Amino acid sequence: MKRVFIHGIGAVSPAGWDVPSLRRALDCDSPIATAPLERPGWKVPLPVRRVPQPIPKLPFLAHARLRRTSPISLYAAAAGMEALHNGCYKRTEGHRLGVIFCITAGCVQYSRRFYDEALRNPATASPLLFPETVFNAPGSHLGALLESASVNYTLVGDPGAYLQALALGAGWLSEGKADSCLVVGAEEIDWLMADAYRHFSRRVVCGEGAGALYLSNTPPAEGAGVELLAITTPRLYLNGMSRLQAIRQVRGELPCAGADALLCDSAAGWPVRDRAELDAWSDWNGARLSPKRVLGEGLMAAGAWQCVAAVDRLREGRHRTALVSIAGSHQQAIGACFSTGDNG
């Protein structure tokens, strides 16, 4: 397989609408303040971490395809556009830009609105809401915004699916199906999602946003950059495979890293679910980063934040190697390795 380089990164999170905002929040290593989210029928609201309003308003948000979309499509567009701008992407005739959009919970705000109207009075429920409820709506909007007529996929899964999307994008590049590839993971919050997590743990605070990586086989113009070295085999949670066993197998498949390497894990401050990943990496002595502890449980967005944060720290020169460990919420454990140096 050809070498794969990360040309650009983008992020939208409770910290703000760009990668520098994400970086500052993770450097502070302090959980972002929660905001109340009203749940019908309850006196006590749910605590969540919302994406702030963009200031100033991002110009592309006025695009016709984004005027009535759900927030998740706006987050995906903002992260994707930042990654492309960061990677100096310029749309040229004949260039095939592949797009992969990843999601877990779906467009929950429009889904809740649509079913609420349908249950109240099916005769007056607005059919205009329905198109925004489908899982691939954000990917469609993103393709239209970028004017990309090339291959465009939507992957639905737990947060580990973001690394599977990176592997898929690398495969497209190797097989000549695309000249470059944008991989975006995003989520949005609604009381349905926040309430669902409350049934598993009242300590988890949901977050929202998006993350994006822009991939190419061509080395960066400056001759050095961040390279995607490896993505492990997904280890599924099955009857014969515990979470701890799955994560240990993933760790064993990752390249050996030196003492100056970074581990970016998926711990969220949820003791019951974090335990297996913390035990599997208990002897890790290098630097460690846990974006979910700061930004909240962002599901697919959190998987993307992990990769964006890892690549950002490499580009900042803080480390030469970064390992990403994702213990998915219900489906799989999977890992990735990024590296920087002389990639020319």
Side-chain angles (χ1 to χ4, degrees):
M1 182 177 289
K2 296 180 180 179
R3 299 171 71 182
V4 178
F5 299 94
I6 313 301
H7 277 240
I9 54 178
V12 175
S13 73
W17 286 75
D18 55 21
V19 172
S21 298
L22 178 73
R23 182 190 310 138
R24 289 191 295 269
L26 296 180
D27 285 346
C28 290
D29 196 27
S30 179
I32 290 175
T34 62
L37 177 63
E38 297 297 328
R39 187 215 188 274
W42 287 16
K43 294 181 179 180
V44 180
L46 296 162
V48 296
R49 294 190 174 102
R50 308 298 298 261
V51 170
Q53 291 295 318
I55 303 173
K57 186 175 181 180
L58 300 173
F60 62 84
L61 295 183
H63 190 279
R65 284 294 293 266
L66 300 180
R67 288 176 184 168
R68 296 183 180 87
T69 60
S70 63
I72 192 172
S73 296
L74 304 183
Y75 303 155
M81 294 292 284
E82 183 185 14
L84 293 175
H85 177 75
N86 184 255
C88 300
Y89 168 77
K90 294 182 179 180
R91 184 173 178 269
T92 57
E93 185 176 354
H95 184 91
R96 299 167 301 161
L97 173 65
V99 176
I100 305 176
F101 176 73
C102 309
I103 194 170
T104 297
C107 307
V108 290
Q109 292 193 25
Y110 266 82
S111 296
R112 189 259 305 156
R113 289 174 58 190
F114 175 76
Y115 286 109
D116 181 65
E117 288 193 8
L119 288 171
R120 289 176 185 272
N121 189 341
T124 60
S126 173
L128 296 177
L129 296 177
F130 180 75
E132 293 301 321
T133 68
V134 298
F135 280 103
N136 65 341
S140 173
H141 296 316
L142 192 57
L145 177 65
L146 300 174
E147 299 181 9
S148 172
S150 298
V151 60
N152 185 317
Y153 277 17
T154 293
L155 299 190
V156 181
D158 74 2
Y162 188 77
L163 294 186
Q164 291 182 304
L166 292 181
L168 177 62
W172 286 355
L173 298 177
S174 179
E175 297 164 9
K177 294 181 178 179
D179 299 313
S180 61
C181 186
L182 179 67
V183 184
V184 183
E187 299 288 351
E188 66 183 17
I189 288 179
D190 191 80
W191 69 262
L192 285 170
M193 177 178 135
D195 184 32
Y197 258 87
R198 185 179 179 278
H199 287 281
F200 295 95
S201 174
R202 298 190 179 186
R203 297 183 58 181
V204 171
V205 177
C206 290
E208 63 180 357
L213 267 61
Y214 175 46
L215 314 178
S216 174
N217 288 141
T218 305
E222 63 271 20
V226 176
E227 184 176 356
L228 174 60
L229 287 186
I231 295 177
T232 71
T233 303
R235 303 296 179 178
L236 303 181
Y237 305 143
L238 303 171
N239 289 335
M241 176 78 70
S242 68
R243 290 177 66 89
L244 179 58
Q245 291 173 322
I247 300 167
R248 281 177 173 169
Q249 288 191 17
V250 164
R251 180 178 180 181
E253 196 175 326
L254 287 169
C256 295
D260 64 339
L262 169 71
L263 170 63
C264 192
D265 65 28
S266 59
W270 181 353
V272 173
R273 205 189 71 196
D274 290 348
R275 186 176 299 119
E277 187 173 20
L278 296 178
D279 288 349
W281 292 92
S282 60
D283 60 343
W284 177 263
N285 296 317
R288 196 163 188 154
L289 193 62
S290 303
K292 287 186 182 182
R293 294 183 184 272
V294 176
L295 306 169
E297 173 54 84
L299 296 176
M300 192 66 72
W305 292 336
Q306 286 181 247
C307 295
V308 171
V311 172
D312 184 53
R313 291 213 168 185
L314 295 181
R315 294 175 70 167
E316 290 271 294
R318 305 190 197 186
H319 308 277
R320 291 182 59 84
T321 304
L323 303 180
V324 172
S325 167
I326 299 182
S329 51
H330 65 278
Q331 185 177 14
Q332 63 192 325
I334 189 170
C337 178
F338 298 92
S339 181
T340 186
D342 182 10
N343 296 322

